[in-house]
Amino acid sequence: MPDGSVQRLAARTILSLPSPILRLMSGGSVVYRGGRTLDPRLQFMAAQAARLPSMTMLSPVEARRGAAQAAQLYGGRLEPGVRTEALAIPGPQGTIPARLYRPENQDPAAPVIVFAHFGGGVIGDLDTCEAFCGVLAKVARAPVLSVEYRLAPEHRFPAGLEDVLSAYRYAREQAATFGALAGHAAIGGDSMGANFAAVICQELRRAGEPQPDLQLLVYPCVDVASETASMTTYADAFPLSRALMDWFMGHYMGPGADPADPRLSPIREGDLSGLAPAVIVTAGFDPLVDQGEAYAKRLQAAGVPVVYRCYDSLAHGFTAFTGVVPCADVACREIAGLVREGLEGRIARAAG
């Protein structure tokens, strides 16, 4: 059995082949749906994944193991010029593991960015988002605190959300110790992590606390009861399908949870005014693309400054594919640039 490094090299070698060859190896057709064309590398990865058992057939523990192996195969490496530090921060139920990313070009006027990884609240860990957190730290010139929140079904809703909220408050209070702007913090995440980020902005408003300097929502899950068109158009998409979403939510919510609860579905909050400026990003081949766009429009209608981008050729989870999908790497750097621009705007307004 080849070790991880050999498998990683093999995956990168195959996925570096020209696009026409990859399409031929994937069945010879171009995947075109909803007016979008899927990146050929993602098409090849989808074809390979289709030969394996669906994650919905696995236990959460098995799914976590498989996701970690995929992250090793497809993920990018830590960005040069960024150092990391392991932290244990206080949480509602003991300490929360976290990883701090500090760029060598850090701007002392930038806030710390608290980030929550994807995984449906069931899978994922600090390594899941390491490459993206490194890019975010370097390009945004800000420290990034990645949070390893509790996972379901061992710890169902709202355990993970509470961990990330505690981590945000801790980071805001300790910002100066990270070399960041004292008393400030931004919040971000992808997929379920973006759900947490969106909910936390609303929770802070309910508590009468200051809003984050920015909220970064990457292919966010903002409506767990969604029946938008994209849920049907991309129901069998890779790597997130409608069936897998149901599997995640079945483990995450638990009996008695109300999908319409704004802490699960933040788009269902009636009043979105006064929330933090937002950078919202979606992927074209994703059941969640419609709800991410809808949340951006609702925030804008409520007077919240929003920058919205959709990467049409990419799929859900692309922040974890930067090692083998060049346009995913480009997208991540563009997203980090948007965060930098957003933070600079907030800093300039505060200084004025």
Side-chain angles (χ1 to χ4, degrees), residues 180-231:
L181 187 64
H184 286 252
I187 187 76
D190 51 358
S191 193
M192 183 54 76
N195 173 285
F196 293 162
V199 171
I200 284 169
C201 290
Q202 297 181 12
E203 290 284 276
L204 293 170
R205 189 185 62 176
R206 294 184 191 106
E209 297 178 43
Q211 281 293 296
D213 285 24
L214 185 84
Q215 54 177 317
L216 169 63
L217 313 180
V218 182
Y219 35 80
C221 173
V222 291
D223 190 352
V224 300
S226 174
E227 294 296 338
T228 59
S230 64
M231 298 292 289

mmCIF file of all heavy atoms in Angstrom, residues 180-231:
data_model
loop_
_atom_site.group_PDB
_atom_site.id
_atom_site.type_symbol
_atom_site.label_atom_id
_atom_site.label_comp_id
_atom_site.label_asym_id
_atom_site.label_seq_id
_atom_site.Cartn_x
_atom_site.Cartn_y
_atom_site.Cartn_z
ATOM 1 N N ALA A 180 -2.673 42.233 16.913
ATOM 2 C CA ALA A 180 -3.781 42.782 16.131
ATOM 3 C C ALA A 180 -4.358 44.018 16.823
ATOM 4 O O ALA A 180 -3.991 44.361 17.950
ATOM 5 C CB ALA A 180 -4.861 41.722 15.944
ATOM 6 N N LEU A 181 -5.298 44.655 16.122
ATOM 7 C CA LEU A 181 -5.953 45.843 16.644
ATOM 8 C C LEU A 181 -6.733 45.488 17.904
ATOM 9 O O LEU A 181 -7.614 44.605 17.872
ATOM 10 C CB LEU A 181 -6.885 46.421 15.579
ATOM 11 C CG LEU A 181 -7.541 47.766 15.854
ATOM 12 C CD1 LEU A 181 -6.485 48.871 15.955
ATOM 13 C CD2 LEU A 181 -8.548 48.102 14.757
ATOM 14 N N ALA A 182 -6.428 46.138 19.017
ATOM 15 C CA ALA A 182 -7.026 45.802 20.305
ATOM 16 C C ALA A 182 -8.542 45.979 20.265
ATOM 17 O O ALA A 182 -9.067 46.964 19.738
ATOM 18 C CB ALA A 182 -6.421 46.678 21.399
ATOM 19 N N GLY A 183 -9.244 45.003 20.833
ATOM 20 C CA GLY A 183 -10.687 45.084 20.955
ATOM 21 C C GLY A 183 -11.456 44.825 19.677
ATOM 22 O O GLY A 183 -12.680 45.020 19.656
ATOM 23 N N HIS A 184 -10.772 44.378 18.621
ATOM 24 C CA HIS A 184 -11.430 44.144 17.338
ATOM 25 C C HIS A 184 -11.237 42.697 16.903
ATOM 26 O O HIS A 184 -10.255 42.047 17.259
ATOM 27 C CB HIS A 184 -10.856 45.068 16.258
ATOM 28 C CG HIS A 184 -11.288 46.485 16.389
ATOM 29 N ND1 HIS A 184 -12.180 47.083 15.531
ATOM 30 C CD2 HIS A 184 -10.956 47.443 17.298
ATOM 31 C CE1 HIS A 184 -12.383 48.341 15.887
ATOM 32 N NE2 HIS A 184 -11.643 48.583 16.956
ATOM 33 N N ALA A 185 -12.174 42.223 16.086
ATOM 34 C CA ALA A 185 -12.047 40.901 15.479
ATOM 35 C C ALA A 185 -12.980 40.825 14.282
ATOM 36 O O ALA A 185 -13.997 41.522 14.216
ATOM 37 C CB ALA A 185 -12.385 39.791 16.472
ATOM 38 N N ALA A 186 -12.624 39.987 13.333
ATOM 39 C CA ALA A 186 -13.501 39.627 12.223
ATOM 40 C C ALA A 186 -13.859 38.156 12.392
ATOM 41 O O ALA A 186 -13.222 37.426 13.142
ATOM 42 C CB ALA A 186 -12.806 39.875 10.889
ATOM 43 N N ILE A 187 -14.892 37.715 11.671
ATOM 44 C CA ILE A 187 -15.362 36.339 11.772
ATOM 45 C C ILE A 187 -15.528 35.766 10.373
ATOM 46 O O ILE A 187 -15.940 36.478 9.451
ATOM 47 C CB ILE A 187 -16.695 36.266 12.562
ATOM 48 C CG1 ILE A 187 -17.134 34.819 12.829
ATOM 49 C CG2 ILE A 187 -17.802 37.025 11.852
ATOM 50 C CD1 ILE A 187 -16.366 34.138 13.911
ATOM 51 N N GLY A 188 -15.186 34.495 10.203
ATOM 52 C CA GLY A 188 -15.328 33.887 8.881
ATOM 53 C C GLY A 188 -15.402 32.375 8.969
ATOM 54 O O GLY A 188 -15.128 31.769 10.010
ATOM 55 N N GLY A 189 -15.761 31.777 7.841
ATOM 56 C CA GLY A 189 -15.812 30.332 7.762
ATOM 57 C C GLY A 189 -16.296 29.903 6.396
ATOM 58 O O GLY A 189 -16.726 30.724 5.580
ATOM 59 N N ASP A 190 -16.194 28.601 6.139
ATOM 60 C CA ASP A 190 -16.732 28.077 4.895
ATOM 61 C C ASP A 190 -17.737 26.969 5.193
ATOM 62 O O ASP A 190 -17.577 26.187 6.121
ATOM 63 C CB ASP A 190 -15.641 27.621 3.925
ATOM 64 C CG ASP A 190 -14.603 26.687 4.518
ATOM 65 O OD1 ASP A 190 -14.666 26.393 5.724
ATOM 66 O OD2 ASP A 190 -13.719 26.242 3.767
ATOM 67 N N SER A 191 -18.833 26.953 4.423
ATOM 68 C CA SER A 191 -19.920 25.995 4.559
ATOM 69 C C SER A 191 -20.533 26.077 5.960
ATOM 70 O O SER A 191 -21.072 27.117 6.329
ATOM 71 C CB SER A 191 -19.429 24.591 4.221
ATOM 72 O OG SER A 191 -20.509 23.701 4.046
ATOM 73 N N MET A 192 -20.442 25.018 6.774
ATOM 74 C CA MET A 192 -21.007 25.105 8.112
ATOM 75 C C MET A 192 -20.267 26.137 8.950
ATOM 76 O O MET A 192 -20.871 26.815 9.792
ATOM 77 C CB MET A 192 -20.967 23.739 8.803
ATOM 78 C CG MET A 192 -21.610 23.733 10.188
ATOM 79 S SD MET A 192 -23.307 24.357 10.220
ATOM 80 C CE MET A 192 -24.190 22.973 9.534
ATOM 81 N N GLY A 193 -18.969 26.289 8.704
ATOM 82 C CA GLY A 193 -18.240 27.351 9.394
ATOM 83 C C GLY A 193 -18.787 28.720 9.051
ATOM 84 O O GLY A 193 -18.829 29.623 9.899
ATOM 85 N N ALA A 194 -19.228 28.910 7.800
ATOM 86 C CA ALA A 194 -19.853 30.173 7.398
ATOM 87 C C ALA A 194 -21.222 30.329 8.049
ATOM 88 O O ALA A 194 -21.641 31.452 8.365
ATOM 89 C CB ALA A 194 -19.968 30.236 5.879
ATOM 90 N N ASN A 195 -21.927 29.217 8.225
ATOM 91 C CA ASN A 195 -23.180 29.263 8.973
ATOM 92 C C ASN A 195 -22.928 29.814 10.373
ATOM 93 O O ASN A 195 -23.627 30.721 10.840
ATOM 94 C CB ASN A 195 -23.767 27.849 9.044
ATOM 95 C CG ASN A 195 -24.999 27.737 9.938
ATOM 96 O OD1 ASN A 195 -24.884 27.753 11.161
ATOM 97 N ND2 ASN A 195 -26.160 27.597 9.336
ATOM 98 N N PHE A 196 -21.902 29.289 11.032
ATOM 99 C CA PHE A 196 -21.560 29.778 12.368
ATOM 100 C C PHE A 196 -21.249 31.275 12.333
ATOM 101 O O PHE A 196 -21.683 32.040 13.199
ATOM 102 C CB PHE A 196 -20.351 29.024 12.922
ATOM 103 C CG PHE A 196 -20.592 27.574 13.216
ATOM 104 C CD1 PHE A 196 -19.529 26.699 13.370
ATOM 105 C CD2 PHE A 196 -21.868 27.055 13.345
ATOM 106 C CE1 PHE A 196 -19.722 25.359 13.656
ATOM 107 C CE2 PHE A 196 -22.082 25.709 13.622
ATOM 108 C CZ PHE A 196 -20.995 24.859 13.774
ATOM 109 N N ALA A 197 -20.471 31.705 11.341
ATOM 110 C CA ALA A 197 -20.077 33.113 11.259
ATOM 111 C C ALA A 197 -21.301 34.008 11.096
ATOM 112 O O ALA A 197 -21.412 35.061 11.749
ATOM 113 C CB ALA A 197 -19.097 33.318 10.103
ATOM 114 N N ALA A 198 -22.224 33.607 10.216
ATOM 115 C CA ALA A 198 -23.431 34.401 9.999
ATOM 116 C C ALA A 198 -24.285 34.451 11.260
ATOM 117 O O ALA A 198 -24.790 35.523 11.646
ATOM 118 C CB ALA A 198 -24.230 33.827 8.834
ATOM 119 N N VAL A 199 -24.444 33.305 11.913
ATOM 120 C CA VAL A 199 -25.250 33.254 13.133
ATOM 121 C C VAL A 199 -24.609 34.083 14.237
ATOM 122 O O VAL A 199 -25.301 34.803 14.977
ATOM 123 C CB VAL A 199 -25.445 31.795 13.595
ATOM 124 C CG1 VAL A 199 -26.102 31.747 14.978
ATOM 125 C CG2 VAL A 199 -26.283 31.028 12.582
ATOM 126 N N ILE A 200 -23.291 34.025 14.349
ATOM 127 C CA ILE A 200 -22.602 34.766 15.409
ATOM 128 C C ILE A 200 -22.811 36.268 15.266
ATOM 129 O O ILE A 200 -23.010 36.972 16.268
ATOM 130 C CB ILE A 200 -21.110 34.388 15.424
ATOM 131 C CG1 ILE A 200 -20.958 33.005 16.073
ATOM 132 C CG2 ILE A 200 -20.262 35.434 16.155
ATOM 133 C CD1 ILE A 200 -19.583 32.396 15.922
ATOM 134 N N CYS A 201 -22.809 36.777 14.042
ATOM 135 C CA CYS A 201 -23.095 38.207 13.862
ATOM 136 C C CYS A 201 -24.476 38.550 14.418
ATOM 137 O O CYS A 201 -24.660 39.582 15.082
ATOM 138 C CB CYS A 201 -23.008 38.584 12.383
ATOM 139 S SG CYS A 201 -21.338 38.564 11.710
ATOM 140 N N GLN A 202 -25.454 37.675 14.175
ATOM 141 C CA GLN A 202 -26.790 37.915 14.692
ATOM 142 C C GLN A 202 -26.847 37.766 16.207
ATOM 143 O O GLN A 202 -27.522 38.537 16.899
ATOM 144 C CB GLN A 202 -27.776 36.957 14.017
ATOM 145 C CG GLN A 202 -27.899 37.163 12.513
ATOM 146 C CD GLN A 202 -28.900 36.225 11.863
ATOM 147 O OE1 GLN A 202 -29.677 35.553 12.555
ATOM 148 N NE2 GLN A 202 -28.901 36.167 10.536
ATOM 149 N N GLU A 203 -26.128 36.776 16.739
ATOM 150 C CA GLU A 203 -26.101 36.570 18.188
ATOM 151 C C GLU A 203 -25.471 37.759 18.910
ATOM 152 O O GLU A 203 -25.952 38.177 19.977
ATOM 153 C CB GLU A 203 -25.320 35.295 18.520
ATOM 154 C CG GLU A 203 -26.024 34.006 18.123
ATOM 155 C CD GLU A 203 -27.148 33.653 19.066
ATOM 156 O OE1 GLU A 203 -26.891 33.040 20.113
ATOM 157 O OE2 GLU A 203 -28.310 34.012 18.735
ATOM 158 N N LEU A 204 -24.419 38.311 18.333
ATOM 159 C CA LEU A 204 -23.780 39.467 18.945
ATOM 160 C C LEU A 204 -24.715 40.672 18.952
ATOM 161 O O LEU A 204 -24.761 41.435 19.931
ATOM 162 C CB LEU A 204 -22.487 39.813 18.194
ATOM 163 C CG LEU A 204 -21.363 38.785 18.305
ATOM 164 C CD1 LEU A 204 -20.238 39.116 17.329
ATOM 165 C CD2 LEU A 204 -20.817 38.706 19.726
ATOM 166 N N ARG A 205 -25.465 40.840 17.879
ATOM 167 C CA ARG A 205 -26.435 41.945 17.842
ATOM 168 C C ARG A 205 -27.501 41.747 18.916
ATOM 169 O O ARG A 205 -27.885 42.702 19.610
ATOM 170 C CB ARG A 205 -27.080 42.041 16.452
ATOM 171 C CG ARG A 205 -27.935 43.298 16.270
ATOM 172 C CD ARG A 205 -28.647 43.305 14.942
ATOM 173 N NE ARG A 205 -29.581 42.172 14.831
ATOM 174 C CZ ARG A 205 -30.386 41.982 13.799
ATOM 175 N NH1 ARG A 205 -30.366 42.830 12.771
ATOM 176 N NH2 ARG A 205 -31.205 40.947 13.766
ATOM 177 N N ARG A 206 -27.983 40.520 19.073
ATOM 178 C CA ARG A 206 -28.990 40.239 20.112
ATOM 179 C C ARG A 206 -28.443 40.539 21.503
ATOM 180 O O ARG A 206 -29.178 40.976 22.396
ATOM 181 C CB ARG A 206 -29.437 38.777 20.040
ATOM 182 C CG ARG A 206 -30.193 38.409 18.785
ATOM 183 C CD ARG A 206 -30.688 36.968 18.829
ATOM 184 N NE ARG A 206 -31.179 36.551 17.520
ATOM 185 C CZ ARG A 206 -30.541 35.737 16.701
ATOM 186 N NH1 ARG A 206 -29.386 35.183 17.075
ATOM 187 N NH2 ARG A 206 -31.048 35.423 15.525
ATOM 188 N N ALA A 207 -27.144 40.266 21.693
ATOM 189 C CA ALA A 207 -26.516 40.472 23.007
ATOM 190 C C ALA A 207 -26.085 41.922 23.221
ATOM 191 O O ALA A 207 -25.589 42.253 24.305
ATOM 192 C CB ALA A 207 -25.313 39.551 23.151
ATOM 193 N N GLY A 208 -26.244 42.770 22.221
ATOM 194 C CA GLY A 208 -25.845 44.165 22.349
ATOM 195 C C GLY A 208 -24.343 44.375 22.293
ATOM 196 O O GLY A 208 -23.843 45.408 22.748
ATOM 197 N N GLU A 209 -23.623 43.417 21.720
ATOM 198 C CA GLU A 209 -22.169 43.532 21.598
ATOM 199 C C GLU A 209 -21.793 44.108 20.237
ATOM 200 O O GLU A 209 -22.568 44.030 19.278
ATOM 201 C CB GLU A 209 -21.521 42.149 21.770
ATOM 202 C CG GLU A 209 -21.751 41.523 23.129
ATOM 203 C CD GLU A 209 -21.135 40.141 23.231
ATOM 204 O OE1 GLU A 209 -19.989 39.963 22.763
ATOM 205 O OE2 GLU A 209 -21.805 39.225 23.754
ATOM 206 N N PRO A 210 -20.588 44.686 20.132
ATOM 207 C CA PRO A 210 -20.171 45.246 18.844
ATOM 208 C C PRO A 210 -20.107 44.168 17.769
ATOM 209 O O PRO A 210 -19.804 43.000 18.044
ATOM 210 C CB PRO A 210 -18.766 45.805 19.142
ATOM 211 C CG PRO A 210 -18.716 45.987 20.618
ATOM 212 C CD PRO A 210 -19.586 44.914 21.194
ATOM 213 N N GLN A 211 -20.391 44.576 16.541
ATOM 214 C CA GLN A 211 -20.289 43.668 15.408
ATOM 215 C C GLN A 211 -18.828 43.404 15.044
ATOM 216 O O GLN A 211 -17.948 44.243 15.291
ATOM 217 C CB GLN A 211 -20.998 44.260 14.191
ATOM 218 C CG GLN A 211 -22.504 44.105 14.214
ATOM 219 C CD GLN A 211 -22.937 42.652 14.083
ATOM 220 O OE1 GLN A 211 -22.709 42.000 13.064
ATOM 221 N NE2 GLN A 211 -23.584 42.140 15.137
ATOM 222 N N PRO A 212 -18.535 42.256 14.443
ATOM 223 C CA PRO A 212 -17.193 42.026 13.895
ATOM 224 C C PRO A 212 -16.846 43.086 12.854
ATOM 225 O O PRO A 212 -17.733 43.711 12.257
ATOM 226 C CB PRO A 212 -17.308 40.643 13.253
ATOM 227 C CG PRO A 212 -18.472 39.991 13.940
ATOM 228 C CD PRO A 212 -19.423 41.093 14.259
ATOM 229 N N ASP A 213 -15.579 43.282 12.635
ATOM 230 C CA ASP A 213 -15.154 44.227 11.606
ATOM 231 C C ASP A 213 -15.585 43.762 10.218
ATOM 232 O O ASP A 213 -15.773 44.584 9.314
ATOM 233 C CB ASP A 213 -13.634 44.397 11.639
ATOM 234 C CG ASP A 213 -13.161 45.234 12.813
ATOM 235 O OD1 ASP A 213 -13.902 45.301 13.817
ATOM 236 O OD2 ASP A 213 -12.073 45.817 12.735
ATOM 237 N N LEU A 214 -15.740 42.449 10.047
ATOM 238 C CA LEU A 214 -16.121 41.886 8.759
ATOM 239 C C LEU A 214 -16.635 40.473 8.992
ATOM 240 O O LEU A 214 -16.187 39.796 9.919
ATOM 241 C CB LEU A 214 -14.904 41.836 7.819
ATOM 242 C CG LEU A 214 -15.152 41.377 6.380
ATOM 243 C CD1 LEU A 214 -15.630 42.554 5.538
ATOM 244 C CD2 LEU A 214 -13.877 40.791 5.767
ATOM 245 N N GLN A 215 -17.554 40.013 8.141
ATOM 246 C CA GLN A 215 -17.931 38.598 8.138
ATOM 247 C C GLN A 215 -17.606 38.030 6.757
ATOM 248 O O GLN A 215 -18.005 38.580 5.731
ATOM 249 C CB GLN A 215 -19.402 38.390 8.495
ATOM 250 C CG GLN A 215 -20.415 39.162 7.681
ATOM 251 C CD GLN A 215 -21.854 38.836 8.069
ATOM 252 O OE1 GLN A 215 -22.212 37.669 8.286
ATOM 253 N NE2 GLN A 215 -22.687 39.856 8.160
ATOM 254 N N LEU A 216 -16.859 36.930 6.759
ATOM 255 C CA LEU A 216 -16.484 36.233 5.527
ATOM 256 C C LEU A 216 -17.264 34.927 5.465
ATOM 257 O O LEU A 216 -17.076 34.047 6.309
ATOM 258 C CB LEU A 216 -14.983 35.952 5.504
ATOM 259 C CG LEU A 216 -14.493 34.999 4.396
ATOM 260 C CD1 LEU A 216 -14.757 35.590 3.016
ATOM 261 C CD2 LEU A 216 -13.014 34.682 4.588
ATOM 262 N N LEU A 217 -18.138 34.804 4.470
ATOM 263 C CA LEU A 217 -18.983 33.625 4.321
ATOM 264 C C LEU A 217 -18.659 32.968 2.986
ATOM 265 O O LEU A 217 -19.035 33.477 1.926
ATOM 266 C CB LEU A 217 -20.463 34.005 4.380
ATOM 267 C CG LEU A 217 -20.905 34.946 5.519
ATOM 268 C CD1 LEU A 217 -22.401 35.218 5.434
ATOM 269 C CD2 LEU A 217 -20.527 34.377 6.875
ATOM 270 N N VAL A 218 -17.963 31.836 3.036
ATOM 271 C CA VAL A 218 -17.559 31.112 1.828
ATOM 272 C C VAL A 218 -18.506 29.927 1.642
ATOM 273 O O VAL A 218 -18.639 29.090 2.528
ATOM 274 C CB VAL A 218 -16.102 30.637 1.922
ATOM 275 C CG1 VAL A 218 -15.690 29.935 0.627
ATOM 276 C CG2 VAL A 218 -15.167 31.816 2.193
ATOM 277 N N TYR A 219 -19.153 29.861 0.502
ATOM 278 C CA TYR A 219 -20.238 28.918 0.183
ATOM 279 C C TYR A 219 -21.043 28.564 1.431
ATOM 280 O O TYR A 219 -21.090 27.419 1.881
ATOM 281 C CB TYR A 219 -19.762 27.656 -0.559
ATOM 282 C CG TYR A 219 -18.397 27.105 -0.193
ATOM 283 C CD1 TYR A 219 -18.195 26.330 0.932
ATOM 284 C CD2 TYR A 219 -17.296 27.347 -1.008
ATOM 285 C CE1 TYR A 219 -16.963 25.818 1.256
ATOM 286 C CE2 TYR A 219 -16.049 26.840 -0.701
ATOM 287 C CZ TYR A 219 -15.894 26.068 0.437
ATOM 288 O OH TYR A 219 -14.660 25.558 0.751
ATOM 289 N N PRO A 220 -21.721 29.589 1.978
ATOM 290 C CA PRO A 220 -22.366 29.394 3.274
ATOM 291 C C PRO A 220 -23.631 28.540 3.204
ATOM 292 O O PRO A 220 -24.397 28.590 2.243
ATOM 293 C CB PRO A 220 -22.727 30.832 3.686
ATOM 294 C CG PRO A 220 -22.943 31.543 2.388
ATOM 295 C CD PRO A 220 -21.903 30.967 1.464
ATOM 296 N N CYS A 221 -23.831 27.771 4.253
ATOM 297 C CA CYS A 221 -25.109 27.120 4.518
ATOM 298 C C CYS A 221 -25.882 28.069 5.430
ATOM 299 O O CYS A 221 -25.515 28.234 6.593
ATOM 300 C CB CYS A 221 -24.890 25.771 5.198
ATOM 301 S SG CYS A 221 -26.414 24.987 5.755
ATOM 302 N N VAL A 222 -26.909 28.706 4.893
ATOM 303 C CA VAL A 222 -27.665 29.680 5.694
ATOM 304 C C VAL A 222 -29.133 29.312 5.821
ATOM 305 O O VAL A 222 -29.905 30.049 6.421
ATOM 306 C CB VAL A 222 -27.528 31.112 5.120
ATOM 307 C CG1 VAL A 222 -26.111 31.626 5.317
ATOM 308 C CG2 VAL A 222 -27.936 31.177 3.655
ATOM 309 N N ASP A 223 -29.538 28.162 5.246
ATOM 310 C CA ASP A 223 -30.934 27.740 5.348
ATOM 311 C C ASP A 223 -30.982 26.220 5.249
ATOM 312 O O ASP A 223 -30.984 25.652 4.151
ATOM 313 C CB ASP A 223 -31.760 28.373 4.233
ATOM 314 C CG ASP A 223 -33.259 28.168 4.441
ATOM 315 O OD1 ASP A 223 -33.632 27.406 5.361
ATOM 316 O OD2 ASP A 223 -34.048 28.769 3.693
ATOM 317 N N VAL A 224 -31.038 25.556 6.393
ATOM 318 C CA VAL A 224 -30.990 24.090 6.381
ATOM 319 C C VAL A 224 -32.302 23.479 5.917
ATOM 320 O O VAL A 224 -32.380 22.262 5.708
ATOM 321 C CB VAL A 224 -30.597 23.526 7.766
ATOM 322 C CG1 VAL A 224 -29.235 24.038 8.190
ATOM 323 C CG2 VAL A 224 -31.644 23.857 8.815
ATOM 324 N N ALA A 225 -33.334 24.316 5.740
ATOM 325 C CA ALA A 225 -34.604 23.829 5.208
ATOM 326 C C ALA A 225 -34.816 24.300 3.775
ATOM 327 O O ALA A 225 -35.932 24.265 3.259
ATOM 328 C CB ALA A 225 -35.760 24.305 6.091
ATOM 329 N N SER A 226 -33.746 24.718 3.103
ATOM 330 C CA SER A 226 -33.846 25.331 1.788
ATOM 331 C C SER A 226 -34.403 24.381 0.739
ATOM 332 O O SER A 226 -34.079 23.192 0.707
ATOM 333 C CB SER A 226 -32.465 25.826 1.335
ATOM 334 O OG SER A 226 -32.513 26.298 0.008
ATOM 335 N N GLU A 227 -35.235 24.913 -0.142
ATOM 336 C CA GLU A 227 -35.743 24.171 -1.297
ATOM 337 C C GLU A 227 -35.526 24.995 -2.566
ATOM 338 O O GLU A 227 -36.381 25.035 -3.452
ATOM 339 C CB GLU A 227 -37.231 23.838 -1.113
ATOM 340 C CG GLU A 227 -37.509 22.871 0.014
ATOM 341 C CD GLU A 227 -36.907 21.487 -0.208
ATOM 342 O OE1 GLU A 227 -36.636 21.130 -1.369
ATOM 343 O OE2 GLU A 227 -36.692 20.776 0.791
ATOM 344 N N THR A 228 -34.414 25.666 -2.665
ATOM 345 C CA THR A 228 -34.124 26.490 -3.824
ATOM 346 C C THR A 228 -33.839 25.608 -5.036
ATOM 347 O O THR A 228 -33.596 24.409 -4.924
ATOM 348 C CB THR A 228 -32.905 27.384 -3.557
ATOM 349 O OG1 THR A 228 -31.776 26.546 -3.260
ATOM 350 C CG2 THR A 228 -33.156 28.319 -2.384
ATOM 351 N N ALA A 229 -33.827 26.256 -6.213
ATOM 352 C CA ALA A 229 -33.620 25.512 -7.458
ATOM 353 C C ALA A 229 -32.281 24.788 -7.473
ATOM 354 O O ALA A 229 -32.172 23.665 -7.985
ATOM 355 C CB ALA A 229 -33.725 26.462 -8.648
ATOM 356 N N SER A 230 -31.248 25.392 -6.911
ATOM 357 C CA SER A 230 -29.923 24.766 -6.952
ATOM 358 C C SER A 230 -29.865 23.478 -6.138
ATOM 359 O O SER A 230 -29.016 22.621 -6.384
ATOM 360 C CB SER A 230 -28.847 25.737 -6.466
ATOM 361 O OG SER A 230 -29.037 26.084 -5.101
ATOM 362 N N MET A 231 -30.775 23.326 -5.187
ATOM 363 C CA MET A 231 -30.811 22.083 -4.420
ATOM 364 C C MET A 231 -31.201 20.913 -5.319
ATOM 365 O O MET A 231 -30.815 19.762 -5.061
ATOM 366 C CB MET A 231 -31.795 22.206 -3.259
ATOM 367 C CG MET A 231 -31.423 23.291 -2.260
ATOM 368 S SD MET A 231 -29.918 22.926 -1.333
ATOM 369 C CE MET A 231 -30.480 21.607 -0.285
#
